[in-house]
Amino acid sequence: GIIIPKILANAKVIPEVDSQNSVIYQRALTLGVAHAKGTALPDENGNTFIFAHSSADFFEATRYNAIFYLLSKLEAGDEIYLFYKGVKYQYKVAEKKNVSSGEVSYLEKNTPEKRLTLMTCWPPGTTLKRLVIIAKPVK
């Protein structure tokens, strides 16, 4: 699971979701947030990539299970917790940026350091761009 205290997000993480197959990932996103297939798991070195819907408001967020609809409120230092195989992994936000919708470099598993990347659509409720949050593990 994932918990982001600042934005009151608490969701199940659906593992190994094919981020290139919209039928598969849309189904997964009705159940929680999606861990992109081929990226690191929390107990591995590299990049753990998790994505979810965003939405323009609370009512649409509820309707579309838009767990990340307040992701833009995160700032450097905010905490994120992942739970995997009974272990709690703690991260702190290091970076927030908007990127083009075609940007796929954040899906890379092999990064020089362990990190967590969260992504959602930006602006909320559109598919124009992507909001990316990069968090580093707390040691």
Side-chain angles (χ1 to χ4, degrees):
I2 185 169
I3 294 177
I4 309 173
K6 183 176 184 176
I7 62 172
L8 303 176
N10 183 346
K12 181 177 181 179
V13 177
I14 311 305
E16 299 293 330
V17 175
D18 184 348
S19 63
Q20 303 303 310
N21 184 324
S22 66
V23 172
I24 290 173
Y25 73 70
Q26 292 292 0
R27 189 176 322 121
L29 292 177
T30 65
L31 304 172
V33 300
H35 162 258
K37 183 178 183 176
T39 67
L41 293 166
D43 62 350
E44 298 175 334
N45 287 326
N47 181 39
T48 302
F49 186 92
I50 296 176
F51 62 102
H53 285 306
S54 67
S55 182
D57 60 48
F58 173 78
F59 298 106
E60 286 212 354
T62 303
R63 180 177 171 200
Y64 296 108
N65 198 36
I67 305 297
F68 284 174
Y69 91 102
L70 292 176
L71 208 60
S72 66
K73 303 291 184 202
L74 293 182
E75 300 293 338
D78 289 338
E79 296 179 330
I80 301 169
Y81 304 104
L82 282 183
F83 296 85
Y84 179 69
K85 292 185 177 179
V87 177
K88 176 181 174 181
Y89 295 87
Q90 183 178 352
Y91 301 84
K92 287 203 180 213
V93 173
E95 194 175 347
K96 174 172 77 173
K97 58 177 125 185
N98 293 316
V99 300
S100 75
S101 60
E103 180 62 62
V104 294
S105 65
Y106 297 98
L107 279 162
E108 282 190 38
K109 175 181 180 174
N110 297 320
T111 55
E113 76 286 335
K114 199 170 197 172
R115 74 176 183 206
L116 170 65
T117 302
L118 307 180
M119 189 182 80
T120 194
C121 295
W122 188 260
T126 73
T127 57
L128 297 174
K129 292 188 174 197
R130 301 292 181 264
L131 173 64
V132 175
I133 302 290
I134 297 172
K136 306 282 175 126
V138 174
K139 300 189 178 179

